[in-house]
Amino acid sequence: MTEVVEQGYKVVVVDDCSVDSSKKQLQGLKLYYLRHRTNMGQGAALQTGIEFAKKKGAKYFVTFDADGQHDCRDIPVMVEVLQKNRSDIVFGSRFLPGARTNISGARSFVLNVARYVNYLVSGILLSDAYNGLRVFNAKAAGFLKITENKMAHATEIQLLVAKNKLSYSEFPNNIQYNEYTKRKGLRNIDGLKIVFEILLFKIFR
């Protein structure tokens, strides 16, 4: 997070009612800090951040996991791809040629299965459906009304892209896992939970 702030970006941190020292660790950094009064899930945190940035008049939006797995050097390149391709949203990918990642084979398999489940629901087949790094413009931000609070929010984003006929691209990015990100990130058992959430989303949508 410090590296992103140091690059001069306007950063919005959404604290989803954490019980650790997150707020204390952010002291002294030039950013916007928002906190949920109750734990609402990742999808809700993203929507809170997007709505806040919209009110601030943001032209480009970036979703960026705060656990240290993403590389802030990918941001300007993805913005350039957004502009060059005239896309409304650019999805980061760990699996396109040129991507750099130390993802395990087991986690890679789970994510590959999940992307096909997402395709059945949304009609969009991404190479990496659960990558937290995305760049999108104000038009896309206006259509992204995330109601799925848990991991199925990634499916909902794809569904909203398809429903509103937003143009999209993918970009190979760098994701490096350390012990902390492995604990905080997607576990293999979460793959089953994701499939279950997606099916519930499909049934009750």
Side-chain angles (χ1 to χ4, degrees):
M1 187 58 63
T2 302
E3 293 179 353
V4 180
V5 175
E6 290 176 347
Q7 293 299 315
Y9 297 111
K10 293 182 179 179
V11 177
V12 181
V13 173
V14 181
D15 184 341
D16 192 32
C17 194
S18 64
V19 294
D20 56 20
S21 58
S22 296
K23 185 176 182 179
K24 185 177 181 180
Q25 294 175 20
L26 296 172
Q27 288 180 353
L29 295 178
K30 189 177 180 181
L31 49 76
Y32 297 102
Y33 175 83
L34 310 177
R35 179 177 170 84
H36 287 163
R37 293 183 178 180
T38 59
N39 185 272
M40 299 173 65
Q42 188 176 12
L46 287 175
Q47 189 61 40
T48 295
I50 291 170
E51 290 300 321
F52 181 85
K54 283 167 59 178
K55 291 178 181 178
K56 290 294 182 179
K59 183 177 180 181
Y60 298 114
F61 300 71
V62 179
T63 64
F64 195 93
D65 292 343
D67 59 7
Q69 64 178 276
H70 296 309
D71 188 339
C72 66
R73 291 174 295 183
D74 286 329
I75 296 175
V77 187
M78 291 178 70
V79 172
E80 185 178 343
V81 171
L82 187 83
Q83 296 169 333
K84 183 178 180 180
N85 293 353
R86 296 184 178 181
S87 299
D88 295 312
I89 183 168
V90 177
F91 295 94
S93 174
R94 285 161 281 201
F95 306 121
L96 288 177
R100 293 163 292 151
T101 182
N102 59 348
I103 190 171
S104 68
R107 182 172 297 193
S108 177
F109 174 78
V110 169
L111 290 173
N112 195 48
V113 171
R115 79 185 184 100
Y116 282 104
V117 176
N118 268 12
Y119 171 64
L120 293 176
V121 175
S122 68
I124 294 178
L125 182 61
L126 298 178
S127 62
D128 190 358
Y130 284 89
N131 193 315
L133 181 56
R134 311 173 188 88
V135 174
F136 48 95
N137 59 21
K139 174 185 174 181
F143 285 112
L144 294 184
K145 306 294 183 182
I146 304 171
T147 60
E148 288 297 309
N149 293 342
K150 297 181 180 179
M151 291 304 295
H153 72 270
T155 304
E156 186 174 21
I157 289 174
Q158 290 179 221
L159 187 61
L160 290 169
V161 168
K163 178 181 178 181
N164 295 291
K165 298 181 180 179
L166 300 176
S167 58
Y168 64 92
S169 304
E170 290 188 272
F171 177 79
N173 67 309
N174 177 31
I175 290 186
Q176 297 297 318
Y177 297 96
N178 53 38
E179 289 305 315
Y180 176 76
T181 55
K182 288 177 182 178
R183 292 196 307 270
K184 294 289 288 185
L186 181 72
R187 297 167 300 174
N188 293 337
I189 188 63
D190 291 329
L192 297 176
K193 295 180 181 178
I194 288 172
V195 172
F196 181 68
E197 288 176 18
I198 293 173
L199 291 176
L200 288 179
F201 174 76
K202 179 66 173 178
I203 292 171
F204 294 105
R205 187 66 176 177

